[in-house]
Amino acid sequence: MANNGKTYRGRFAPSPTGALHFGSLIAAVASYCQAKAHNGEWLLRIEDIDRPREVAGASDNIIHQLEVFGFCWDGPVSFQHERIAYYQAALEQLQEQQLIYPCICSRKDIAKVNPYGIYPGTCRNGLATTPPSTTSWRIRTESSNIVFIDHIQGGVNCRLDHEVGDFVLKRADGLFSYQLAVAVDDALQGITEVVRGYDLLDSTPRQIFIQQALGYSSPEYAHHPVAVNSSGEKLSKQTFAEAIQLQDAVQSIYKALTFLGQSPPPELQFESVERLWEWAIEHWQLSKIPTSESIETS
Ligand code: GLU
């Protein structure tokens, strides 16, 4: 059971790089139904940690799309750019624990040694030269094995040092990494279960590892299949996925529920958004979600 006696708390954490499209709607619907079916809370967190990638107006647009689609989140919307002090404190704690080290390697340097981008540990034992004013910071992954049960995909076992290598928590440009921000936020916001797309499954061992290093407990996890186009590409801004249309709320949520294996009755397509949500929450079953990595959508 995901809540271990605690109040269930889920979240949806979109990055404001564009409007929500069908692919992101699936994560919103899955996390929302799972939270509400547990009588739990569902938080909305805008992941605007990577400000240079942010698209002007995207946060407001996403919030408006979610409102029109009838999502009700608990508490105020949180924004990662307002939570920088938590990431800094986490980094300082890890520094005191001597779990992180400065690194001056570029992606190119790493690719020369390891075509898969696994960090070869060049800076792990100290820098040979005086470091430039800004460096990135990596966490040591020495012989760490992360094991967890994903509630959709089953058992996951990741030997981080072999499969990922020491990874970046703070970039040389001063930005905190997605991995650090999400690990800190999920723990400090008391999230009990993360429901999100399969594409993020390989980030999860890194996030659990950070949480363990900081002495936080980790949420449970469930990774649903992602929607791909006819070329097998994940629907995203990069693959020109169309934004969900405000006037198509019922149709789009219906389609997302179908994608998630919930088999909503066809007549619901002609009902109100409220009625559709009522049905979806009442009949929600995580076990009906297909266990594949991806599903093609038209
Ligand atoms: N911000 C990420 C995205 O929009 C999702 C992160 C997460 O759910 O952990 O892809």
Side-chain angles (χ1 to χ4, degrees):
M1 197 64 203
N3 61 8
N4 296 325
K6 283 190 260 172
T7 302
Y8 184 102
R9 186 178 282 166
R11 50 63 155 191
F12 177 52
S15 302
T17 50
L20 293 181
H21 48 76
F22 183 65
S24 30
L25 179 66
I26 292 166
V29 169
S31 57
Y32 188 63
C33 290
Q34 176 74 349
K36 294 297 154 187
H38 281 82
N39 287 319
E41 295 173 346
W42 185 73
L43 308 192
L44 176 57
R45 181 172 79 223
I46 302 288
E47 299 208 319
D48 57 356
I49 189 77
D50 194 348
R51 299 217 99 178
R53 277 188 61 221
E54 187 172 341
V55 170
S59 298
D60 288 345
N61 191 21
I62 290 172
I63 294 169
H64 183 58
Q65 288 177 304
L66 291 170
E67 264 164 7
V68 173
F69 272 54
F71 288 93
C72 299
W73 49 91
D74 293 280
V77 180
S78 59
F79 291 85
Q80 285 187 326
H81 80 263
E82 292 172 350
R83 301 177 57 81
I84 303 289
Y86 295 110
Y87 313 143
Q88 186 58 38
L91 197 84
E92 283 167 17
Q93 182 186 329
L94 294 170
Q95 193 170 5
E96 268 164 39
Q97 293 168 212
Q98 300 183 354
L99 288 174
I100 58 172
Y101 59 87
C103 170
I104 52 171
C105 299
S106 66
R107 271 190 203 182
K108 236 179 172 173
D109 296 333
I110 300 167
K112 266 190 243 154
V113 186
N114 187 316
Y116 301 106
I118 297 175
Y119 186 62
T122 322
C123 300
R124 190 182 294 141
N125 298 319
L127 303 175
T129 53
T130 319
S133 55
T134 56
T135 64
S136 61
W137 286 84
R138 287 181 186 271
I139 186 162
R140 299 176 193 278
T141 54
E142 279 144 25
S143 56
S144 23
N145 197 25
I146 301 289
V147 180
F148 65 98
I149 308 282
D150 184 273
H151 291 300
I152 299 173
Q153 307 294 341
V156 176
N157 190 336
C158 175
R159 186 64 202 255
L160 269 181
D161 52 345
H162 297 165
E163 295 174 44
V164 180
D166 296 352
F167 57 94
V168 171
L169 298 190
K170 192 174 188 187
R171 300 177 355 189
D173 61 8
L175 291 177
F176 289 99
S177 72
Y178 158 72
Q179 306 295 351
L180 179 73
V182 170
V184 168
D185 286 345
D186 285 338
L188 295 189
Q189 292 187 315
I191 302 301
T192 58
E193 187 180 45
V194 170
V195 179
R196 60 183 176 192
Y198 188 93
D199 54 319
L200 291 165
L201 182 61
D202 69 350
S203 288
T204 304
R206 277 173 269 184
Q207 293 166 15
I208 294 175
F209 179 65
I210 295 170
Q211 287 158 346
Q212 289 179 350
L214 289 165
Y216 301 153
S217 55
S218 295
E220 308 272 323
Y221 290 91
H223 290 83
H224 58 73
V226 294
V228 293
N229 62 23
S230 54
S231 316
E233 299 161 327
K234 186 185 109 152
L235 301 194
S236 68
K237 196 181 154 212
Q238 289 72 26
T239 58
F240 310 108
E242 276 173 40
I244 46 173
Q245 297 298 311
L246 297 181
Q247 67 278 14
D248 294 340
V250 170
Q251 285 296 332
S252 305
I253 299 165
Y254 181 90
K255 195 174 155 196
L257 289 167
T258 305
F259 180 96
L260 291 164
Q262 304 299 305
S263 314
E267 57 275 18
L268 275 178
Q269 293 173 86
F270 311 104
E271 294 278 356
S272 62
V273 178
E274 292 75 22
R275 178 72 201 102
L276 184 56
W277 280 130
E278 231 171 72
W279 184 91
I281 293 163
E282 193 181 328
H283 294 87
W284 176 254
Q285 277 183 273
L286 193 78
S287 60
K288 285 186 163 180
I289 298 179
T291 55
S292 52
E293 292 175 27
S294 60
I295 301 175
E296 192 179 318
T297 48
S298 50

Short mmCIF file of all heavy atoms in Angstrom, two decimals, residues 11-17 24 45 47 80 178 182 186 194-197 199-200 207 234, ligand 1:
data_model
loop_
_atom_site.label_atom_id
_atom_site.label_comp_id
_atom_site.label_asym_id
_atom_site.label_seq_id
_atom_site.Cartn_x
_atom_site.Cartn_y
_atom_site.Cartn_z
N ARG A 11 1.43 14.27 -6.49
CA ARG A 11 1.74 15.57 -7.08
C ARG A 11 1.80 15.46 -8.59
O ARG A 11 2.01 14.36 -9.16
CB ARG A 11 3.02 16.14 -6.50
CG ARG A 11 4.28 15.25 -6.44
CD ARG A 11 4.78 14.82 -7.74
NE ARG A 11 6.18 14.48 -7.80
CZ ARG A 11 6.82 14.29 -8.94
NH1 ARG A 11 6.19 14.34 -10.10
NH2 ARG A 11 8.10 13.97 -8.97
N PHE A 12 1.66 16.61 -9.24
CA PHE A 12 1.92 16.72 -10.68
C PHE A 12 2.94 17.84 -10.80
O PHE A 12 2.79 18.88 -10.16
CB PHE A 12 0.63 17.05 -11.42
CG PHE A 12 0.80 17.26 -12.90
CD1 PHE A 12 1.45 16.31 -13.68
CD2 PHE A 12 0.31 18.40 -13.53
CE1 PHE A 12 1.62 16.50 -15.05
CE2 PHE A 12 0.47 18.59 -14.89
CZ PHE A 12 1.13 17.64 -15.65
N ALA A 13 3.98 17.60 -11.59
CA ALA A 13 5.12 18.52 -11.57
C ALA A 13 5.54 18.92 -12.99
O ALA A 13 6.61 18.54 -13.45
CB ALA A 13 6.28 17.87 -10.82
N PRO A 14 4.71 19.66 -13.70
CA PRO A 14 5.08 20.01 -15.08
C PRO A 14 6.19 21.06 -15.16
O PRO A 14 6.33 21.89 -14.27
CB PRO A 14 3.77 20.60 -15.64
CG PRO A 14 3.05 21.14 -14.44
CD PRO A 14 3.42 20.23 -13.30
N SER A 15 6.99 20.96 -16.21
CA SER A 15 8.00 21.99 -16.47
C SER A 15 7.36 23.01 -17.41
O SER A 15 6.71 22.61 -18.38
CB SER A 15 9.22 21.38 -17.17
OG SER A 15 9.75 20.36 -16.37
N PRO A 16 7.54 24.29 -17.16
CA PRO A 16 6.87 25.30 -17.99
C PRO A 16 7.62 25.58 -19.30
O PRO A 16 8.03 26.70 -19.57
CB PRO A 16 6.83 26.53 -17.08
CG PRO A 16 8.02 26.37 -16.20
CD PRO A 16 8.28 24.89 -16.03
N THR A 17 7.78 24.52 -20.10
CA THR A 17 8.49 24.69 -21.37
C THR A 17 7.49 24.81 -22.52
O THR A 17 7.88 24.86 -23.68
CB THR A 17 9.43 23.49 -21.62
OG1 THR A 17 8.67 22.29 -21.42
CG2 THR A 17 10.60 23.49 -20.66
N SER A 24 1.55 15.00 -21.45
CA SER A 24 1.61 15.49 -20.07
C SER A 24 0.27 15.32 -19.37
O SER A 24 0.21 15.12 -18.15
CB SER A 24 2.12 16.92 -19.98
OG SER A 24 1.81 17.69 -21.10
N ARG A 45 3.12 21.39 -8.63
CA ARG A 45 4.43 22.02 -8.48
C ARG A 45 4.97 22.35 -9.87
O ARG A 45 5.13 21.46 -10.71
CB ARG A 45 5.37 21.03 -7.77
CG ARG A 45 6.74 21.59 -7.54
CD ARG A 45 7.56 20.66 -6.67
NE ARG A 45 8.10 19.53 -7.41
CZ ARG A 45 8.12 18.29 -6.96
NH1 ARG A 45 7.61 17.96 -5.78
NH2 ARG A 45 8.65 17.33 -7.69
N GLU A 47 7.85 23.08 -12.21
CA GLU A 47 9.28 22.81 -12.17
C GLU A 47 10.03 23.77 -13.09
O GLU A 47 10.45 23.42 -14.19
CB GLU A 47 9.54 21.34 -12.50
CG GLU A 47 8.83 20.46 -11.44
CD GLU A 47 9.47 19.12 -11.19
OE1 GLU A 47 9.88 18.49 -12.17
OE2 GLU A 47 9.55 18.72 -10.04
N GLN A 80 9.47 25.88 -8.22
CA GLN A 80 10.83 25.53 -7.79
C GLN A 80 11.72 26.77 -7.65
O GLN A 80 12.61 26.78 -6.80
CB GLN A 80 11.45 24.52 -8.75
CG GLN A 80 10.85 23.12 -8.55
CD GLN A 80 11.54 22.05 -9.34
OE1 GLN A 80 12.00 22.30 -10.45
NE2 GLN A 80 11.60 20.85 -8.81
N TYR A 178 17.80 18.97 -12.08
CA TYR A 178 16.46 18.40 -11.92
C TYR A 178 16.47 17.33 -10.83
O TYR A 178 15.59 17.29 -9.97
CB TYR A 178 16.01 17.81 -13.27
CG TYR A 178 14.93 16.76 -13.15
CD1 TYR A 178 13.63 17.12 -12.82
CD2 TYR A 178 15.22 15.41 -13.32
CE1 TYR A 178 12.65 16.15 -12.66
CE2 TYR A 178 14.25 14.45 -13.17
CZ TYR A 178 12.96 14.82 -12.83
OH TYR A 178 12.00 13.86 -12.66
N VAL A 182 14.04 17.72 -7.57
CA VAL A 182 12.89 16.82 -7.43
C VAL A 182 13.03 15.95 -6.17
O VAL A 182 12.06 15.76 -5.43
CB VAL A 182 12.73 15.95 -8.68
CG1 VAL A 182 11.72 14.85 -8.46
CG2 VAL A 182 12.30 16.81 -9.85
N ASP A 186 10.16 16.35 -3.42
CA ASP A 186 9.26 15.23 -3.10
C ASP A 186 9.37 14.86 -1.63
O ASP A 186 8.37 14.58 -0.97
CB ASP A 186 9.56 14.01 -3.99
CG ASP A 186 9.04 14.21 -5.42
OD1 ASP A 186 8.13 15.04 -5.62
OD2 ASP A 186 9.56 13.54 -6.34
N VAL A 194 4.84 8.98 -6.05
CA VAL A 194 5.05 9.72 -7.30
C VAL A 194 4.49 8.88 -8.44
O VAL A 194 4.89 7.72 -8.60
CB VAL A 194 6.56 9.98 -7.52
CG1 VAL A 194 6.82 10.54 -8.91
CG2 VAL A 194 7.10 10.91 -6.45
N VAL A 195 3.55 9.43 -9.18
CA VAL A 195 3.01 8.75 -10.36
C VAL A 195 3.39 9.61 -11.56
O VAL A 195 3.02 10.79 -11.63
CB VAL A 195 1.47 8.60 -10.27
CG1 VAL A 195 0.92 7.90 -11.51
CG2 VAL A 195 1.08 7.83 -9.01
N ARG A 196 4.17 9.05 -12.47
CA ARG A 196 4.65 9.83 -13.61
C ARG A 196 5.04 8.88 -14.73
O ARG A 196 4.92 7.66 -14.60
CB ARG A 196 5.84 10.70 -13.18
CG ARG A 196 7.00 9.90 -12.66
CD ARG A 196 8.14 10.77 -12.16
NE ARG A 196 9.21 9.98 -11.59
CZ ARG A 196 10.20 10.47 -10.88
NH1 ARG A 196 10.30 11.75 -10.65
NH2 ARG A 196 11.14 9.66 -10.41
N GLY A 197 5.52 9.44 -15.84
CA GLY A 197 5.77 8.65 -17.04
C GLY A 197 7.02 7.76 -16.96
O GLY A 197 7.97 8.06 -16.21
N ASP A 199 9.37 7.47 -18.93
CA ASP A 199 10.62 8.13 -19.33
C ASP A 199 11.42 8.62 -18.12
O ASP A 199 12.62 8.89 -18.25
CB ASP A 199 10.34 9.30 -20.28
CG ASP A 199 9.34 10.30 -19.71
OD1 ASP A 199 8.34 9.87 -19.09
OD2 ASP A 199 9.55 11.51 -19.88
N LEU A 200 10.77 8.73 -16.97
CA LEU A 200 11.49 9.21 -15.78
C LEU A 200 11.92 8.07 -14.86
O LEU A 200 12.55 8.31 -13.83
CB LEU A 200 10.64 10.23 -15.02
CG LEU A 200 10.47 11.55 -15.81
CD1 LEU A 200 9.35 12.40 -15.23
CD2 LEU A 200 11.77 12.33 -15.84
N GLN A 207 17.15 9.77 -7.63
CA GLN A 207 16.40 10.59 -6.67
C GLN A 207 16.32 9.89 -5.30
O GLN A 207 16.48 10.52 -4.26
CB GLN A 207 15.02 10.92 -7.24
CG GLN A 207 15.18 11.85 -8.45
CD GLN A 207 13.94 11.99 -9.32
OE1 GLN A 207 12.84 11.63 -8.94
NE2 GLN A 207 14.14 12.52 -10.51
N LYS A 234 8.36 10.07 -28.20
CA LYS A 234 7.52 10.53 -27.09
C LYS A 234 6.86 11.85 -27.46
O LYS A 234 7.52 12.73 -28.03
CB LYS A 234 8.41 10.70 -25.85
CG LYS A 234 7.65 11.02 -24.59
CD LYS A 234 8.60 11.31 -23.44
CE LYS A 234 8.57 12.75 -23.12
NZ LYS A 234 8.81 13.35 -21.93
N1 GLU B 1 9.09 18.29 -14.62
C1 GLU B 1 9.15 17.01 -15.24
C2 GLU B 1 8.51 17.04 -16.60
O1 GLU B 1 7.71 17.93 -16.89
C3 GLU B 1 8.43 15.95 -14.45
C4 GLU B 1 9.17 15.61 -13.25
C5 GLU B 1 8.60 14.56 -12.36
O2 GLU B 1 7.41 14.22 -12.45
O3 GLU B 1 9.36 14.11 -11.54
O4 GLU B 1 8.81 16.17 -17.40
#
